[in-house]
Amino acid sequence: MTPITEPRLIRVHVKDNVAVVVNEGGLPSGARLASGLELREAIPEAHKVALADLAQGDAIVRYGVTIGYTNRAIARGSWVHEGLMTAPDAPPLADCPLATATPEALAPLEGYTFEGYRNPDGSTGTKNILGISTTVQCVAPTVEHAVRRIKAEILPRFPHVDDVVAITHPYGCGVAIDAPGAAIPIRTLRNLALHPNFGGEVMVVSLGCEKMQPVRLMGANELPVLDEKASVAVLQDATHGFGEMVATIMAMAEKKLEKLNRRRRVTCPASDLVVGLQCGGSDAMSGVTANPAVGFAADLLVRAGATVMFSEVTEVRDAAHLLTARAAAPEIAQNFVREMAWYDEYLRQGGADRAANPTPGNKRGGLANVVEKAMGSIAKAGSTALVGVAGPGERVTQKGLIFAATPASDFICGTLQLAAGMNMHIFTTGRGTPYGLAMSPVIKVASNSGLARRWPDLIDIDAGRIATAEATVEEVGWEIFLLVLEIASGRKKVWADHWGLHNEFALFNPGPVT
Ligand code: CA
């Protein structure tokens, strides 16, 4: 945890002609590396140094792949920044190899367990929460008012319930509800209502006249199973004003809380975990420290039989050909290509492409373009075969490594991974974010020790120790894996839960509004 003073670079792959500065605060002009390389100019932390003289038009290679081409000659020891690079085109989807390099299954990892909540539908919770779903934004402030009172006046009587969460959103009316894109927000909200951490106790608040009626939200198969009187409150049924609406919601919630309060944790195999992986505020260290460590933990989880989801379409698009090759079967690779193609078209209609992904912070953090970001990002997915693909907001029930298609936006990705059934979230960051979710614990992994030191009360794991050679990828990977089991058991809290930092739901609605 002490800052290193010797000039130090990290080169990921033997083919790489650039390496990344590890030293906090960067390195000055004239700094000499152990290899004898002398820097021709000051280079910021996590930014790239040319290891060889590059001519104009040469490939810039990092992670063993071309992340760009030089737009002018760059001398050895110079700073290779985004202004000197032209990004390559995305790999054509039609040429992606289908399941040509499926990895062999790794040895099973047995005997790892956590203390979770068993649900009637076979899923497992890591928290015990009352979720209150809403069909339309019109009811949101009323539900939020009621939830504040429930938390203050009722919840303290039910000590075995962790929280009450209102699933409020801007959908439900004023939208083209029969348009093809509408399926995504509707199934997202339905699957959120059925989330494993809600223990099967569905509660819905409806206005009455909205397009997304409760039956539309919950589905014709699901709603009849619910006791509608006990589970659906319709505000327009109130004949005595706002007070009656709030009283109705509170009374319904109290009955649900009585049931949830009777639940207890039981020992569950690690295979009951559904872990969502995400990154946000990445820097050039993310791809050599935090993401590979999470990738190692992902392999451990897959070996233990768990479900591991990775997402963020625009951050994997440039690695599409590597991921399709890793699929367990050609159909799985084709499903992956289908999700990529859908998103290419979605972006095209908006007049953008995947190059719109990197942020100013990513670039200040040394990530020159989306190709470099993608190569670092997919390290999170570890090394096992891709066994399944889910569309945005679909529930995932399969074990193993799954691609759950989502935008890269932290909040939309988090919301869609929750809809997929995520009961643990692992989030890597280089620039830093206080991100958290109410419905699932979020373990935050820092890519650099500077961030972990500045924010000791927000970062759960410091993977920057890999860059400073204080820990290996394997060691940090095991730490993450064991912390997942601790947090999932409720024995320990992530910092976001300690402070109650819970970002709002952000629905993905690719359909038109009216
Ligand atoms: Ca993200």
Side-chain angles (χ1 to χ4, degrees):
M1 287 292 280
T2 45
I4 49 165
T5 47
E6 285 300 301
R8 194 169 138 86
L9 302 178
I10 286 195
R11 183 195 200 185
V12 185
H13 192 278
V14 290
K15 285 192 196 158
D16 292 1
N17 56 18
V18 292
V20 167
V21 171
V22 170
N23 302 75
E24 269 187 78
L27 286 173
S29 179
R32 187 176 284 276
L33 279 299
S35 64
L37 177 74
E38 192 176 315
L39 300 191
R40 299 172 74 94
E41 57 193 314
I43 301 181
E45 177 184 352
H47 280 249
K48 289 175 287 301
V49 183
L51 298 176
D53 288 326
L54 302 172
Q56 183 176 356
D58 275 358
I60 299 165
V61 180
R62 193 179 172 211
Y63 301 108
V65 302
T66 299
I67 60 165
Y69 298 95
T70 59
N71 55 27
R72 63 172 158 90
I74 302 174
R76 182 170 183 265
S78 304
W79 180 13
V80 181
H81 57 76
E82 72 157 312
L84 303 179
M85 293 171 61
T86 308
D89 292 332
L93 293 175
D95 299 344
C96 283
L98 307 178
T100 52
T102 310
E104 295 276 325
L106 298 171
L109 197 58
E110 307 202 12
Y112 288 92
T113 60
F114 69 103
E115 304 298 307
Y117 294 98
R118 287 260 177 244
N119 294 319
D121 68 356
S123 67
T124 304
T126 55
K127 288 188 173 189
N128 189 25
I129 300 173
L130 171 63
I132 304 182
S133 291
T134 59
T135 54
V136 67
Q137 193 187 25
C138 313
V139 307
T142 303
V143 171
E144 279 155 11
H145 175 95
V147 165
R148 281 195 295 275
R149 287 195 50 192
I150 293 164
K151 284 186 180 182
E153 299 167 31
I154 306 177
L155 187 60
R157 286 192 275 119
F158 300 106
H160 294 286
V161 182
D162 295 313
D163 204 358
V164 181
V165 173
I167 303 169
T168 55
H169 56 83
Y171 200 75
C173 215
V175 291
I177 203 151
D178 294 314
I184 291 176
I186 296 172
R187 74 183 175 216
T188 300
L189 290 167
R190 176 182 312 152
N191 287 331
L192 287 174
L194 300 171
H195 189 271
N197 286 352
F198 293 162
E201 292 300 327
V202 176
M203 177 170 161
V204 178
V205 179
S206 152
L207 180 64
C209 59
E210 69 275 20
K211 280 187 178 163
M212 190 164 71
Q213 293 284 304
V215 66
R216 189 88 192 233
L217 169 67
M218 294 313 299
N221 293 330
E222 198 66 40
L223 196 66
V225 181
L226 299 173
D227 177 355
E228 235 184 287
K229 263 206 157 66
S231 304
V232 182
V234 181
L235 299 191
Q236 285 170 347
D237 287 352
T239 51
H240 293 88
F242 180 69
E244 183 191 333
M245 294 176 193
V246 173
T248 302
I249 296 169
M250 289 178 73
M252 194 173 278
E254 183 161 355
K255 291 223 165 59
K256 301 278 179 190
L257 285 168
E258 276 166 13
K259 285 198 213 168
L260 289 170
N261 196 52
R262 289 198 283 270
R263 308 176 80 222
R264 294 293 180 274
R265 290 183 185 269
V266 296
T267 303
C268 304
S271 56
D272 287 337
L273 290 167
V274 182
V275 181
L277 310 178
Q278 208 201 148
C279 43
S282 297
D283 67 2
M285 298 310 295
S286 298
V288 288
T289 59
N291 291 349
V294 169
F296 190 86
D299 285 354
L300 295 176
L301 287 160
V302 169
R303 289 171 59 193
T307 302
V308 176
M309 298 184 285
F310 69 110
S311 298
E312 302 177 285
V313 172
T314 50
E315 287 176 20
V316 304
R317 177 66 183 83
D318 285 278
H321 53 305
L322 306 175
L323 292 163
T324 53
R326 252 172 82 179
E331 313 83 78
I332 297 163
Q334 278 156 353
N335 290 341
F336 182 87
V337 167
R338 180 200 65 216
E339 291 301 330
M340 295 292 119
W342 185 92
Y343 214 92
D344 279 358
E345 177 59 19
Y346 167 73
L347 289 171
R348 195 194 59 73
Q349 284 176 5
D353 65 22
R354 93 282 185 220
N357 172 308
T359 64
N362 290 150
K363 291 181 176 179
R364 278 196 299 277
L367 288 172
N369 61 37
V370 72
V371 184
E372 185 176 17
K373 191 170 170 178
M375 293 307 154
S377 176
I378 63 159
K380 289 197 302 299
S383 65
T384 59
L386 178 67
V387 300
V389 174
E394 279 178 353
R395 184 75 174 259
V396 170
T397 51
Q398 208 182 340
K399 307 290 185 187
L401 181 68
I402 308 290
F403 180 72
T406 77
S409 151
D410 296 350
F411 322 105
I412 298 180
C413 173
T415 300
L416 290 171
Q417 287 188 338
L418 285 171
M422 165 174 79
N423 54 23
M424 282 298 300
H425 200 23
I426 306 176
F427 189 94
T428 67
T429 183
R431 310 290 297 173
T433 165
Y435 173 76
L437 295 172
M439 279 171 62
S440 163
V442 179
I443 294 177
K444 286 202 289 293
V445 182
S447 74
N448 62 85
S449 295
L451 172 64
R453 261 199 312 277
R454 286 194 302 280
W455 293 7
D457 48 4
L458 286 170
I459 296 297
D460 299 290
I461 297 232
D462 172 18
R465 292 172 297 144
I466 296 165
T468 52
E470 291 163 272
T472 63
V473 165
E474 292 77 6
E475 284 164 356
V476 178
W478 271 104
E479 257 178 63
I480 294 169
F481 174 74
L482 296 173
L483 185 63
V484 165
L485 299 177
E486 282 295 291
I487 303 278
S489 302
R491 286 191 288 262
K492 212 173 160 184
K493 267 189 180 175
V494 294
W495 280 111
D497 284 344
H498 174 85
W499 300 118
L501 305 177
H502 296 148
N503 284 96
E504 282 182 26
F505 297 99
L507 212 53
F508 182 39
N509 175 26
V513 294
T514 61

